[in-house]
């Protein structure tokens, strides 16, 4: 009975606005402004434009792939390009206990700079810090859904306030982690990047949240690689600023080789889509904990003492790609 009740609550948490709300559900996008975070923002901008969600804020964490100062600059410039003038933007958090590989940080900074031509960009920290803005929005509307695609540093700082609905891209339950590209050799590779960057924050949020939590782990995200075939489809079908932005990012000359080496995935867009349009990710209920330190720091594992949540186990690759392409181009 308990499992059935949890399944019902999960279903209710993702009912489209047209079926259950007079107005679209409020969303906060918490991001570290990686290349696929930018693609996710393009996707969410189109869902916002279509009235399926009300994107109220973009909160930036500096403990992930984005460089402090540059990350909020990219968020501001992308919001301008994507027509999100009314959406609040705030950054917060310093560096986490572990650092994203410096070479990749610089590479993705160049990619996002190229995707926002003509935008001078403001690198000034926001007057209201991201955790404070998250708390304020949750107090005003406890039903606000948070979609988090980077380390959970901002959300941990916002506790004990927690969203009734949280979707986090992170973790790896039954598959290996994805550390690579210059991460310290003392870590054993069992962990996914986002949770490794700030294990304590991930553990605090996953075990301390009072709402419905969904973790789009690598178990599901590994099924949506970025492929040359999809890039060809996008190159032949890009009719909006959102689609143009994603195309420019994934065809950047420094990104294309990483795709050809099968190193990049649609991790973050899949997580966002699973929150807005249910059915693209299969979820299983379990209690998940996070290793706080040591060689396995950031690894997620099933444990009786873990936080109750739903974690992704599979994804519909073809359906995701078609929905992503259609949404970017503004098709219903």
């Amino acid at each position: 009975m308990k499992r059935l009740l949890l399944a019902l609550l999960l279903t209710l948490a993702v009912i489209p606005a047209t079926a259950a709300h007079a107005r679209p559900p409020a969303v906060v996008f918490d991001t570290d402004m990686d290349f696929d975070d930018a693609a996710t923002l393009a996707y969410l901008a189109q869902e916002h434009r279509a009235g399926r969600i009300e994107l109220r804020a973009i909160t930036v964490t500096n403990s992930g792939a984005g460089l402090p100062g540059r990350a909020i600059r990219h968020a501001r410039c992308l919001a301008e390009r994507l027509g999100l003038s009314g959406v609040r933007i705030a950054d917060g958090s310093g560096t986490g206990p572990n650092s994203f590989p410096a070479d990749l940080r610089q590479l993705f900074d160049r990619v996002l700079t190229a995707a926002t031509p003509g935008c001078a960009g403001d690198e000034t920290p926001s007057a209201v810090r991201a955790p404070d803005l998250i708390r304020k929005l949750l107090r005003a509307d406890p039903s606000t859904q948070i979609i988090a695609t980077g380390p959970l540093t901002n959300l941990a700082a916002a506790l004990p306030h927690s969203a009734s609905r949280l979707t986090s891209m992170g973790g790896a339950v039954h598959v290996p982690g994805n550390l690579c590209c210059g991460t310290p050799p003392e870590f054993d590779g069992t962990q996914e990047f986002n949770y490794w960057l700030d294990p304590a924050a991930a553990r605090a949020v996953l075990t301390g949240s009072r709402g419905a939590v969904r973790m789009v782990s690598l178990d599901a995200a590994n099924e949506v690689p970025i492929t040359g075939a999809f890039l060809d489809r996008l190159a032949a079908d890009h009719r909006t600023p959102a689609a143009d932005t994603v195309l420019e990012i994934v065809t950047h000359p420094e990104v294309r080789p990483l795709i050809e080496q099968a190193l990049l995935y649609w991790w973050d867009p899949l997580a966002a889509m699973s929150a807005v349009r249910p059915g693209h990710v299969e979820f299983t209920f379990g209690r998940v904990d996070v290793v706080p330190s040591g060689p396995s720091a950031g690894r997620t594992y099933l444990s009786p003492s873990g936080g109750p949540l739903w974690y992704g186990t599979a994804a519909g690759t073809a359906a995701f790609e078609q929905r992503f392409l259609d949404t970017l181009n503004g098709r219903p």
Side-chain angles (χ1 to χ4, degrees):
M1 177 60 73
K2 183 178 180 181
R3 184 180 294 269
L4 180 61
L5 178 58
L6 286 168
L8 177 60
L9 290 174
L10 177 68
T11 302
L12 291 174
V14 295
I15 291 176
T18 53
H21 300 277
R23 59 185 299 174
V27 168
V28 171
F29 178 43
D30 189 67
T31 169
D32 64 345
M33 276 291 106
D34 198 342
F35 83 98
D36 63 327
D37 296 75
T40 303
L41 183 55
Y43 165 78
L44 291 173
Q46 291 297 85
E47 294 287 28
H48 175 78
R49 181 183 296 273
R52 287 188 61 87
I53 63 171
E54 182 183 342
L55 184 59
R56 293 189 177 172
I58 303 164
T59 54
V60 179
T61 175
N62 290 320
S63 60
L67 292 163
R70 298 295 295 169
I72 193 168
R73 178 267 178 203
H74 296 323
R76 288 165 173 157
C77 288
L78 286 166
E80 179 182 313
R81 181 175 186 182
L82 297 168
L84 297 172
S85 58
V87 177
R88 300 185 67 176
I89 301 174
D91 65 344
S93 74
T95 56
N98 297 312
S99 298
F100 202 83
D103 288 345
L104 282 181
R105 270 187 145 185
Q106 294 289 344
L107 185 156
F108 292 136
D109 180 67
R110 293 191 295 271
V111 170
L112 297 190
T113 300
T116 51
C119 178
D122 181 2
E123 297 185 16
T124 307
S126 57
V128 177
R129 307 305 285 159
D132 296 329
L133 179 57
I134 292 169
R135 283 192 291 264
K136 180 179 179 180
L137 293 172
L138 289 176
R139 283 195 298 264
D141 183 356
S143 68
T144 297
Q145 179 167 191
I146 294 179
I147 298 172
T149 57
L152 298 178
T153 311
N154 283 337
L155 301 189
L159 291 172
H161 295 276
S162 59
S164 62
R165 295 175 291 173
L166 166 64
T167 299
S168 168
M169 192 284 124
V173 180
H174 302 298
V175 298
N178 64 350
L179 296 191
C180 72
C181 316
T183 52
E186 60 264 29
F187 294 99
D188 61 17
T190 59
Q191 53 278 86
E192 178 272 336
F193 252 115
N194 283 341
Y195 293 177
W196 169 75
L197 289 164
D198 196 341
R203 191 167 196 244
V205 172
L206 296 186
T207 62
S209 178
R210 303 169 186 170
V213 177
R214 287 173 298 158
M215 184 179 77
V216 181
S217 58
L218 296 181
D219 305 64
N222 283 349
E223 298 187 7
V224 287
I226 303 178
T227 65
F230 182 83
L231 299 193
D232 291 341
R233 293 175 65 191
L234 181 59
D237 187 12
H238 56 103
R239 310 176 187 182
T240 66
D244 291 342
T245 299
V246 175
L247 179 63
E248 290 167 22
I249 289 169
V250 293
T251 57
H252 187 280
E254 293 187 87
V255 172
R256 201 63 191 259
L258 301 178
I259 295 173
E260 291 169 356
Q261 296 172 51
L263 294 175
L264 301 184
Y265 295 74
W266 295 118
W267 297 291
D268 298 346
L270 178 69
M273 188 179 295
S274 76
V276 178
R277 295 178 182 264
H280 294 282
V281 174
E282 294 180 14
F283 289 93
T284 295
F285 179 77
R287 301 188 73 95
V288 175
D289 208 339
V290 181
V291 176
S293 60
S296 298
R299 178 172 68 88
T300 48
Y301 63 101
L302 297 176
S303 168
S305 60
L309 55 78
W310 296 83
Y311 64 92
T313 55
T317 308
F320 161 79
E321 290 182 342
Q322 188 62 55
R323 177 65 70 187
F324 191 41
L325 187 64
D326 286 342
T327 303
L328 290 176
N329 281 295
R331 293 190 288 268

